[in-house]
Amino acid sequence: DGLHILNIDHHHDNTRFGTVNLVVPGASCTAEIVWNIGKQLGVEVTPRIADALYTGLVTDTGKFMYENTTPEAHRMAAELIDAGVDPHEVYRRLYEDLPFRRLLLLQRALASVERHDNGAITIAHLVKDDYEQTGAQENDSEGVVDHMRAVEGTAVAVLVRELLSDERNG
């Protein structure tokens, strides 16, 4: 069939599903791996490329909060800012310009929160009805689990979602 899949990832548990797999567990994020490939190939980092890489860097490092965030990630951020990225604009676009339906979906998820094992496990759920009544799409649940992870004593945060049919994932 001639189809090849390039699988680039930083997660150690990646299943290596690609025809070609580049898995670098020591990287802070997948964008860092792509950035390094671009540097090795001498790719000119245009403002559009810099914006995409910075967006990946910020989201995949949890806004530079996750423990796997390395000094290399911060050097990458500095180079991307030098290449024209506006960090405030990226932050605003990612975290402040959210559709109201996402807030309504978050409200429903938080209303379902349960704590187990003396608070070590925090679980919430969303069902199809939650999406339908808020007008939300499946990807609108991005970030919900971060709210639960932030709760004192939580070691594991879980969001259980009922998947929507394909026509709602537009």
Side-chain angles (χ1 to χ4, degrees):
D1 62 6
L3 178 66
H4 295 281
I5 297 174
L6 175 58
N7 173 22
I8 302 174
D9 194 12
H10 70 109
H11 294 101
H12 66 87
D13 59 352
N14 182 287
T15 61
R16 275 95 173 152
F17 59 84
T19 310
V20 176
N21 298 288
L22 178 58
V23 180
V24 183
S28 297
C29 60
T30 301
E32 184 180 316
I33 300 166
V34 173
W35 176 65
N36 282 322
I37 292 170
K39 287 179 80 167
Q40 291 171 8
L41 294 174
V43 173
E44 176 193 351
V45 180
T46 65
R48 186 172 179 186
I49 291 171
D51 187 77
L53 288 172
Y54 189 82
T55 299
L57 174 64
V58 168
T59 57
D60 215 5
T61 61
K63 300 177 227 158
F64 301 97
M65 294 184 306
Y66 298 151
E67 59 189 28
N68 67 335
T69 302
T70 63
E72 183 72 4
H74 289 280
R75 283 189 281 276
M76 175 182 166
E79 286 189 30
L80 293 173
I81 292 167
D82 284 342
V85 168
D86 179 346
H88 176 71
E89 173 58 28
V90 172
Y91 182 86
R92 188 199 58 73
R93 188 176 65 233
L94 289 172
Y95 302 109
E96 293 180 349
D97 202 16
L98 300 175
F100 186 62
R101 67 179 189 256
R102 290 187 76 155
L103 182 64
L104 295 175
L105 193 65
L106 173 62
Q107 177 186 35
R108 287 175 171 262
L110 294 178
S112 75
V113 168
E114 298 176 9
R115 308 279 314 274
H116 298 276
D117 199 19
N118 293 320
I121 301 171
T122 304
I123 300 174
H125 69 272
L126 291 168
V127 296
K128 285 183 182 182
D129 192 51
D130 294 322
Y131 290 92
E132 289 168 3
Q133 290 190 13
T134 60
Q137 298 175 355
E138 205 164 313
N139 65 350
D140 285 329
S141 64
E142 282 285 323
V144 169
V145 77
D146 296 329
H147 292 275
M148 298 180 317
R149 185 184 304 130
V151 175
E152 181 181 28
T154 298
V156 176
V158 179
L159 175 64
V160 178
R161 298 183 299 139
E162 184 175 5
L163 297 179
L164 304 177
S165 60
D166 288 337
E167 71 265 6
R168 293 270 323 179
N169 292 318

